[in-house]
Amino acid sequence: LRLDKTLLRYELTRVETYAALEHELTANDWDIALVDYILDSWTGADALRLMHKMKPELPILVVSGNLGEEIVHECVNLGARDCIRKGELYQLVPAIERALLNQRNLRRRQEAELALKEAEDQIRQAQKMEAVGRLTLGIAHDFNNILNVILLQSERLMNEAPAMSPLHADLHQIHRMAQQATGLTRQLLSFSRQRKLDPKALDLNSCVAASIEMLGRLIGADIKIEQSLGIDLPKIKADSVQLDQVLMNLLSNAREAMPNGGLLKVATETVFVAAPPPGRAPGLYVALHVTDTGVGMDEKTQARIFDPFFTTKSQGTGLGLANVRAIVEEYGGYLLVTSSPGEGTRMSVRFPALIAKEEETRNQAILVVEDEDDLRSVMTEVLRSQGYNVYAAGNQDEALKICRTVTEPLDLVIADVMLSSGSGISLVNEIVSIFPNARALYISGYAADTVPIDNPAERFLQKPFTGGMLKERVQSALRRAA
Ligand code: ADP
Ligand code: MG
């Protein structure tokens, strides 16, 4: 019997043989079955068994002229919901109604149980992630200290090794690997969300430029990088370390998607979004697009890329994009992915634009002038992680070019005393004449007393130094009156 909701309308099929019943059960989806007990060549019991096997949930009523205790008992044991004697057919409709109601309640209960089970699975998964988070936090923290030593010592050895020594290449490799590992631990730390966040008004363009400068040297020569940074972008509100992670992850994924080279495009723009995804406000967003011409992804992969630990790489962690999404969403933004296999991928991130009145106090701006590339980039990284706007130059010309083009006044110049292109001291004097409020901090491998600067106790930091020493010295320099 197949019933309309009202019970008044129904569709009925009658079968007489075992084979016909079997066929009917496969061919159609019935709501309820009525079975006679005495059949020609078989019994209602056979029918019950068959139906129970093929459609265990189908409610069955036995309707028969001759129903003794024993048969009723047998039928109920075989799964019949009810037995109705032919002499008492007035009971049929209420019995059908009852059976259907029960059936509906059963379905609802099953659905509820399923939903409960899913919720429990989710909680279990969340707890697992939390445990993993706590564990990685502990490891990442210790690991960071170890890496810091490796980084600084390899820098020191690079400085000390004779200029032509073949050791340079090896030391560079150690240094580069340690930097990569630092990126990884930072990712783990942020994934477990324990670091104290420091959201500020940030200029996406300068973060992008810095990330490309960082990653540019790691990206092989066979990958061409194209930048097109939007003009007059509104600021966005984010934690600078987290924003770096977003950029680094997207850029390194793009690089890894192009093992045989290709084109990596990085673009920023302001977009007005009238219909954002649920939970996001319509309005101005600052968009970042990272586009590669790499391997691309099929839909199945695309559906999973944000899952923690999902990776298709033998050395992958699968944490990158999970992290990216958590960060982007934390600041009210969202992500868009376009990709097709063999054609490349475009990852777009949108952050809500910060309206001027919400802008916090300006980040302090620091210019780092250091001719040793790796040291410069570590310093830049350390300082940016502290929330400073950092500009980096490898020589006088670059430094002066930055001074001409920056859109904010510099608060501090950190310069190597002896740059390979000339004196850091006269450079700093020149910069201070452009930005009278800029303080100076000198760094050098030589001892303070051999360096001709005033007040070296405050204005000088001898190499090698740790990130902690740098931060501390920078803070006290910035507290000083200009
Ligand atoms: P991982 O890089 O460690 O694998 P991610 O979370 O960063 O972890 O990325 C997850 C997966 O998403 C990658 O393994 C890859 O399959 C896919 N993916 C991410 N970015 C790209 C891209 N630009 N092109 C192709 N596939 C990508
Ligand atoms: Mg990745």
Side-chain angles (χ1 to χ4, degrees), residues 145-204:
N145 292 334
I146 297 171
L147 287 170
N148 203 343
V149 175
I150 298 179
L151 275 175
L152 290 167
Q153 291 293 61
S154 54
E155 278 159 26
R156 192 176 60 80
L157 291 174
M158 281 191 280
N159 286 335
E160 284 179 7
M164 301 305 286
S165 165
L167 281 177
H168 276 292
D170 299 344
L171 289 169
H172 265 286
Q173 192 182 24
I174 293 176
H175 192 262
R176 206 172 54 237
M177 293 292 123
Q179 266 182 325
Q180 259 177 37
T182 308
L184 195 66
T185 51
R186 188 160 298 147
Q187 203 146 297
L188 287 169
L189 280 174
S190 116
F191 195 71
S192 45
R193 303 273 205 103
Q194 301 275 340
R195 200 176 60 82
K196 203 172 153 289
L197 299 180
D198 183 21
K200 285 210 174 89
L202 298 178
D203 173 32
L204 182 62

Side-chain angles (χ1 to χ4, degrees), residues 451-466:
V451 176
I453 54 172
D454 307 333
N455 196 0
E458 279 192 352
R459 307 191 343 142
F460 183 77
L461 181 59
Q462 185 173 355
K463 294 179 190 172
F465 45 80
T466 61

Side-chain angles (χ1 to χ4, degrees), residues 426-444:
S426 53
L427 173 67
V428 169
N429 290 337
E430 205 170 331
I431 294 174
V432 171
S433 69
I434 308 174
F435 298 105
N437 286 326
R439 283 72 125 192
L441 176 62
Y442 293 98
I443 51 178
S444 173

Side-chain angles (χ1 to χ4, degrees), residues 187 249 252-253 256 313 317-321:
Q187 203 146 297
N249 276 313
S252 51
N253 279 345
E256 283 154 7
K313 301 166 194 169
T317 61
L319 286 175
L321 291 178

Side-chain angles (χ1 to χ4, degrees), residues 190-240:
S190 116
F191 195 71
S192 45
R193 303 273 205 103
Q194 301 275 340
R195 200 176 60 82
K196 203 172 153 289
L197 299 180
D198 183 21
K200 285 210 174 89
L202 298 178
D203 173 32
L204 182 62
N205 280 350
S206 70
C207 299
V208 168
S211 292
I212 291 181
E213 140 95 20
M214 259 284 288
L215 208 73
R217 282 181 287 127
L218 297 177
I219 285 181
D222 49 351
I223 294 180
K224 193 171 168 309
I225 305 182
E226 227 175 73
Q227 288 185 56
S228 101
L229 303 186
I231 306 164
D232 287 338
L233 285 193
K235 296 251 162 107
I236 59 175
K237 186 172 176 167
D239 174 271
S240 70

